Amino acid sequence: MKLYIALTIASLKMYFRNKQALFWALFFPLLVMVIFGLMNFEGFNSPDVGVHDAANNDASRALIEILRGESGEEVLSVSVGTPEEILHDLEFGGSRAAIMIPENFGVQGEFAELKVTYDERYPQERMVISTVLGQVTDALFKELAGVPDEYRVENTIGISESLIEGQGQGFKGWLIPGIAAMAIMQTGLFTVVFTLVRFKSQGVLRRLKATPIGASHFLAGQLTTKAIVVVLQTYVLVIVGAVVLGVGIGGGRAGAWFDLTVMALLGGALFIAMGLAISGWAKNEETAAPVANIISMPMMFLSGIFFPLSIMPDWLTRWSQYLPLTFLADGMRAITVEGAALTTLGSELLGLGAWIVVAFAVATKMFRWE
Amino acid sequence: MTSTIDPVIVARDLRKTYGDIKAVDGISFEVKRGEVFGMLGPNGAGKTTTVEILEGMRDADSGDAIINGINVKDDPRGVKSIIGVQLQQNAFFDNLRLAEIIDLYAKLYEAKVDPIELLSRVGLEARKNGKYAQLSGGQKQRLSIAVALVNDPVILFLDEPTTGLDPQARRQLWALVRDIRSNGSTIMLTTHYMEEAEELCDRIAVVEDGKIIALDTPGNLIDQLLATGFRPEKRIREATLDDVFLNLTGRDLRD
């Protein structure tokens, strides 16, 4: 134990004296976070709406199709989900309206009522969505009923509107936990890969193997250091985000910090294991770097770090929702933005856990000392 | 170092094969306590593999390596804790100071040392706060010897300690080896420099193709050769070019 602590302290010293590692672990994500946070991309997109389709027939599918906009020009950014999901999104700033399509939608002769809920904090978007819905349902009804355009008949599609007050913190609040998750990935993958591959190629690990203790203790100290770094890094990013961008954390719940720490450690374990697998396999830095990049780069864009997954095509998000970074970013976001407790994040924890098992299995199989 | 087991190294019919290559092909020898024993041979002769088997870094296919009475394959950790090792390629951490490196390795051997004292023993006291990457080739080798001494080893293994060093650095290292030897340590070294073997070693094993082809004191080996009627092609001059270089640049410890 004494030895383990001594080794951890030594490797902490090594880490914090390594200016490059510090830059990538701390300053780079901070920079990205502040720049993106200040740019505030919210205004650029077509409004996000969530739709629950209880009817699931030709008529309702046609409605969703039209809402999405035809021939590539997006009218509304539509994501389909359960009533709980879409209301949850609305409440926490993930969308601007939740639209419930009733079961009898499109059934001949029946009056179907679309229930639409808006976030009252965004009146402009509410206007846009409301107008679009009105026009679209009118056109759709006429088309379905085969009524010529010039006739005026009473529409059997009704719209009822209601308001809630959302509690999300906008793009900034959404961005911070994502960047923190990304920083965990970068630290886990890159600092592990670069230090270990260098130690391996230079023969540092071989020299350690000649000691009675062996290199595994040393490795344990190194990994502990990375875990400590990952947690510190998360705190710094979240705190700076809160101060500079003015975002609250976990709705003021004290337990959020504990939950955040657990999430950071899980994410750290996952990406450290991935780093171990790569550094076990790679002979030198030249072969290790591209592999680490191939793994991390797509995740940076497919895991909803800078932009919500809802703006991506469905065929892509169907897969990207299972990426390790997606689970981590979603989990951290739920804790910081929605004030969710760790115990409610079953699917994220399960997803992370599964990936951790896979990554450690691969790492133990791949790792070589020389 | 209270143990009096002698010979302190026993190698008995060591064999190690890599694919079709017999790297070590039945090597046997003994090293007495306090001796400087040299293994001499061209690159790829099997010197390093033999040494690594003795150090517990590599398993032999067959044969026994017994260090201070401990069979290496029974207790590699026990062997590692009483020997000092300088590998052919040594590397230490970039972001630690020299004194911190010594301290860390002392902990790995569960030994207590004064890092500064050890550094001064190898002439690196002035660099105690320096970094490994900033050291010259000779300084790096001396640091790795200092690291090998943290556990006050019964035997010090030096694998090609002066390869790639300039003549001055080589002489400094020789002086250091003699100093360590005078403190009672047994030293086993490999080299492909004849001059080095002659300068430092009490006995020499000449290795080729994984086998020992000659084993004796340097003096005896030369006498045996001369007894066969051998005469060098050129009369050897009193001084060598090495000496000229040293005379011009100074023999003192220069960093």
Side-chain angles (χ1 to χ4, degrees), chain A residues 16 38 57 67 75 85 89 220 257 282 307 352 363 367:
Chain A
F16 283 101
L38 294 177
N57 53 27
L67 287 178
V75 180
E85 281 168 2
D89 265 2
W257 287 98
F307 306 100
L352 280 176
F367 198 80

mmCIF file of all heavy atoms in Angstrom, chain A residues 16 38 57 67 75 85 89 220 257 282 307 352 363 367:
data_model
loop_
_atom_site.group_PDB
_atom_site.id
_atom_site.type_symbol
_atom_site.label_atom_id
_atom_site.label_comp_id
_atom_site.label_asym_id
_atom_site.label_seq_id
_atom_site.Cartn_x
_atom_site.Cartn_y
_atom_site.Cartn_z
ATOM 1 N N PHE A 16 1.804 16.247 -13.768
ATOM 2 C CA PHE A 16 1.611 17.690 -13.685
ATOM 3 C C PHE A 16 2.818 18.490 -14.160
ATOM 4 O O PHE A 16 2.732 19.691 -14.346
ATOM 5 C CB PHE A 16 1.190 18.096 -12.266
ATOM 6 C CG PHE A 16 -0.252 17.792 -12.017
ATOM 7 C CD1 PHE A 16 -0.644 16.673 -11.310
ATOM 8 C CD2 PHE A 16 -1.247 18.601 -12.566
ATOM 9 C CE1 PHE A 16 -1.980 16.377 -11.124
ATOM 10 C CE2 PHE A 16 -2.583 18.312 -12.383
ATOM 11 C CZ PHE A 16 -2.952 17.196 -11.660
ATOM 12 N N LEU A 38 -19.999 30.845 -25.858
ATOM 13 C CA LEU A 38 -20.263 32.254 -26.156
ATOM 14 C C LEU A 38 -20.868 32.438 -27.547
ATOM 15 O O LEU A 38 -21.566 33.407 -27.808
ATOM 16 C CB LEU A 38 -18.963 33.069 -26.026
ATOM 17 C CG LEU A 38 -18.412 33.133 -24.594
ATOM 18 C CD1 LEU A 38 -17.094 33.893 -24.561
ATOM 19 C CD2 LEU A 38 -19.420 33.764 -23.638
ATOM 20 N N ASN A 57 -50.178 5.572 -38.403
ATOM 21 C CA ASN A 57 -50.769 5.132 -39.679
ATOM 22 C C ASN A 57 -50.243 6.025 -40.793
ATOM 23 O O ASN A 57 -49.389 6.894 -40.560
ATOM 24 C CB ASN A 57 -52.287 5.174 -39.589
ATOM 25 C CG ASN A 57 -52.794 6.544 -39.128
ATOM 26 O OD1 ASN A 57 -52.124 7.567 -39.349
ATOM 27 N ND2 ASN A 57 -53.941 6.554 -38.482
ATOM 28 N N LEU A 67 -44.085 17.933 -41.540
ATOM 29 C CA LEU A 67 -43.488 18.791 -40.502
ATOM 30 C C LEU A 67 -41.973 18.875 -40.676
ATOM 31 O O LEU A 67 -41.364 19.909 -40.451
ATOM 32 C CB LEU A 67 -43.806 18.245 -39.106
ATOM 33 C CG LEU A 67 -45.236 18.421 -38.604
ATOM 34 C CD1 LEU A 67 -45.390 17.773 -37.224
ATOM 35 C CD2 LEU A 67 -45.599 19.899 -38.527
ATOM 36 N N VAL A 75 -38.262 22.270 -42.096
ATOM 37 C CA VAL A 75 -39.180 23.240 -41.497
ATOM 38 C C VAL A 75 -39.014 23.200 -39.981
ATOM 39 O O VAL A 75 -38.672 24.186 -39.348
ATOM 40 C CB VAL A 75 -40.636 22.916 -41.895
ATOM 41 C CG1 VAL A 75 -41.570 23.934 -41.256
ATOM 42 C CG2 VAL A 75 -40.793 22.904 -43.410
ATOM 43 N N GLU A 85 -40.663 10.912 -23.018
ATOM 44 C CA GLU A 85 -39.413 11.413 -23.594
ATOM 45 C C GLU A 85 -39.565 12.819 -24.149
ATOM 46 O O GLU A 85 -38.749 13.697 -23.888
ATOM 47 C CB GLU A 85 -38.935 10.480 -24.724
ATOM 48 C CG GLU A 85 -38.240 9.228 -24.221
ATOM 49 C CD GLU A 85 -38.037 8.210 -25.339
ATOM 50 O OE1 GLU A 85 -38.402 8.496 -26.510
ATOM 51 O OE2 GLU A 85 -37.527 7.130 -25.038
ATOM 52 N N ASP A 89 -37.826 16.212 -22.801
ATOM 53 C CA ASP A 89 -36.999 17.050 -23.674
ATOM 54 C C ASP A 89 -37.441 18.506 -23.602
ATOM 55 O O ASP A 89 -36.630 19.419 -23.504
ATOM 56 C CB ASP A 89 -37.129 16.580 -25.134
ATOM 57 C CG ASP A 89 -36.009 15.626 -25.498
ATOM 58 O OD1 ASP A 89 -35.190 15.331 -24.610
ATOM 59 O OD2 ASP A 89 -35.967 15.195 -26.661
ATOM 60 N N ALA A 220 -0.449 0.385 -11.966
ATOM 61 C CA ALA A 220 -1.567 0.737 -11.089
ATOM 62 C C ALA A 220 -1.457 2.190 -10.645
ATOM 63 O O ALA A 220 -2.446 2.927 -10.634
ATOM 64 C CB ALA A 220 -1.593 -0.196 -9.885
ATOM 65 N N TRP A 257 -22.605 16.627 -7.003
ATOM 66 C CA TRP A 257 -21.136 16.548 -7.100
ATOM 67 C C TRP A 257 -20.654 15.124 -6.920
ATOM 68 O O TRP A 257 -19.743 14.672 -7.601
ATOM 69 C CB TRP A 257 -20.488 17.485 -6.077
ATOM 70 C CG TRP A 257 -20.654 18.908 -6.495
ATOM 71 C CD1 TRP A 257 -21.599 19.781 -6.044
ATOM 72 C CD2 TRP A 257 -19.908 19.597 -7.491
ATOM 73 N NE1 TRP A 257 -21.477 20.965 -6.691
ATOM 74 C CE2 TRP A 257 -20.443 20.897 -7.578
ATOM 75 C CE3 TRP A 257 -18.832 19.245 -8.305
ATOM 76 C CZ2 TRP A 257 -19.941 21.849 -8.461
ATOM 77 C CZ3 TRP A 257 -18.332 20.188 -9.183
ATOM 78 C CH2 TRP A 257 -18.886 21.475 -9.253
ATOM 79 N N ALA A 282 0.001 -1.198 -29.720
ATOM 80 C CA ALA A 282 0.865 -0.377 -30.568
ATOM 81 C C ALA A 282 2.334 -0.500 -30.166
ATOM 82 O O ALA A 282 2.654 -0.617 -28.987
ATOM 83 C CB ALA A 282 0.436 1.083 -30.495
ATOM 84 N N PHE A 307 -23.401 19.346 -30.741
ATOM 85 C CA PHE A 307 -24.746 19.547 -31.259
ATOM 86 C C PHE A 307 -25.625 18.397 -30.782
ATOM 87 O O PHE A 307 -25.158 17.265 -30.692
ATOM 88 C CB PHE A 307 -24.734 19.583 -32.786
ATOM 89 C CG PHE A 307 -23.784 20.587 -33.332
ATOM 90 C CD1 PHE A 307 -22.534 20.206 -33.792
ATOM 91 C CD2 PHE A 307 -24.130 21.929 -33.350
ATOM 92 C CE1 PHE A 307 -21.643 21.138 -34.276
ATOM 93 C CE2 PHE A 307 -23.240 22.873 -33.829
ATOM 94 C CZ PHE A 307 -22.001 22.484 -34.291
ATOM 95 N N LEU A 352 -22.499 2.257 -19.867
ATOM 96 C CA LEU A 352 -21.093 2.467 -19.497
ATOM 97 C C LEU A 352 -20.483 1.177 -18.955
ATOM 98 O O LEU A 352 -19.377 0.792 -19.326
ATOM 99 C CB LEU A 352 -20.976 3.566 -18.434
ATOM 100 C CG LEU A 352 -21.044 5.007 -18.933
ATOM 101 C CD1 LEU A 352 -21.008 5.967 -17.750
ATOM 102 C CD2 LEU A 352 -19.885 5.299 -19.874
ATOM 103 N N ALA A 363 -8.346 -4.986 -23.304
ATOM 104 C CA ALA A 363 -7.058 -4.484 -22.789
ATOM 105 C C ALA A 363 -6.210 -5.616 -22.218
ATOM 106 O O ALA A 363 -5.021 -5.713 -22.500
ATOM 107 C CB ALA A 363 -7.287 -3.405 -21.737
ATOM 108 N N PHE A 367 -2.617 -6.319 -23.897
ATOM 109 C CA PHE A 367 -1.493 -5.633 -23.288
ATOM 110 C C PHE A 367 -0.220 -6.466 -23.265
ATOM 111 O O PHE A 367 -0.210 -7.630 -22.907
ATOM 112 C CB PHE A 367 -1.826 -5.168 -21.865
ATOM 113 C CG PHE A 367 -0.882 -4.112 -21.397
ATOM 114 C CD1 PHE A 367 -1.058 -2.810 -21.804
ATOM 115 C CD2 PHE A 367 0.214 -4.424 -20.631
ATOM 116 C CE1 PHE A 367 -0.169 -1.817 -21.430
ATOM 117 C CE2 PHE A 367 1.110 -3.446 -20.251
ATOM 118 C CZ PHE A 367 0.915 -2.147 -20.659
#
